[in-house]
């Protein structure tokens, strides 16, 4: 009986706050239409099953960081991967490499990455109305500080 009473204390009451967004880009809470953030690309050079260059020179560095890639042709067709980094026109998959060889001419679709910050939501995605974080809530460090003299 005591255990049953104590278990009531384990129930979460309210929502946990977070400086970063708790939604995932394009999900029901984010509600961002990803059409304008999905790019159809062709592999132009291959270093490994994890690192390759795409045929683009118009997107800024880090645009795809944290994004998703799906091969639409080649031996990896239909497989999805997380994009770790995007620099210049080079994509680095993370943490897992493609299981099969990536070849020049393979095609893929890549969705822009979201770092879940307020800045990305406002500037990159123009979706602040659906931002699911609380970046301006003070941390406990700030709430217990004494005023400076």
């Amino acid at each position: 009986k005591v255990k049953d009473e104590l278990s009531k204390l384990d129930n979460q009451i309210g929502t946990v706050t977070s400086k970063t967004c708790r939604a995932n880009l394009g999900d029901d809470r984010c509600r961002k239409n990803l059409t304008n953030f999905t790019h159809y690309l062709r592999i132009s050079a291959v270093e490994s099953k994890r690192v390759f260059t795409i045929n683009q020179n118009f997107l800024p560095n880090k645009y795809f960081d944290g994004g998703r890639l799906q091969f639409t042709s080649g031996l990896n067709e239909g497989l999805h991967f997380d994009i770790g980094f995007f620099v210049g026109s080079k994509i680095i998959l993370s943490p897992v490499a493609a299981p099969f060889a990536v070849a020049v001419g393979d095609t893929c679709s890549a969705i822009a990455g979201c770092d879940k910050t307020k800045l990305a939501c406002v500037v990159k995605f123009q979706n602040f109305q659906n931002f699911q974080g609380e970046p301006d809530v003070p941390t406990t460090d700030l709430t217990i500080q004494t005023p400076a003299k």
Side-chain angles (χ1 to χ4, degrees):
K1 179 159 177 134
V2 172
K3 186 176 180 182
D4 290 339
E5 293 298 317
L6 286 176
S7 68
K8 292 177 184 176
L9 297 174
D10 290 334
N11 293 335
Q12 179 180 331
I13 299 172
T15 304
V16 175
T17 61
S18 171
K19 289 198 174 294
T20 57
C21 187
R22 292 180 301 281
N24 291 315
L25 184 62
D27 74 7
D28 290 341
R29 292 182 297 168
C30 171
R31 296 189 288 226
K32 187 64 183 176
N33 182 324
L34 299 180
T35 302
N36 293 331
F37 299 97
T38 302
H39 300 271
Y40 299 92
L41 308 164
R42 182 174 305 280
I43 309 294
S44 58
V46 177
E47 289 181 35
S48 69
K49 292 189 240 181
R50 235 183 118 218
V51 181
F52 44 85
T53 303
I54 56 172
N55 65 322
Q56 78 79 38
N57 56 4
F58 54 89
L59 296 169
N61 286 342
K62 300 185 177 186
Y63 182 81
F64 290 117
D65 287 10
R68 294 283 289 164
L69 177 137
Q70 178 181 7
F71 284 97
T72 54
S73 72
L75 297 175
N76 295 295
E77 183 175 358
L79 299 179
H80 295 259
F81 298 91
D82 292 327
I83 299 171
F85 302 99
F86 177 69
V87 180
S89 56
K90 188 176 290 188
I91 286 181
I92 302 171
L93 300 179
S94 177
V96 179
F100 307 108
V102 177
V104 172
D106 285 357
T107 57
C108 58
S109 63
I111 299 172
C114 179
D115 64 7
K116 298 181 176 282
T117 61
K118 178 180 172 181
L119 182 65
C121 208
V122 171
V123 175
K124 187 174 184 178
F125 298 106
Q126 298 84 43
N127 194 35
F128 184 66
Q129 69 276 12
N130 294 315
F131 183 70
Q132 301 291 315
E134 298 78 25
D136 303 318
V137 172
T139 62
T140 52
D141 293 343
L142 292 174
T143 59
I144 62 173
Q145 282 181 347
T146 56
K149 294 183 182 186

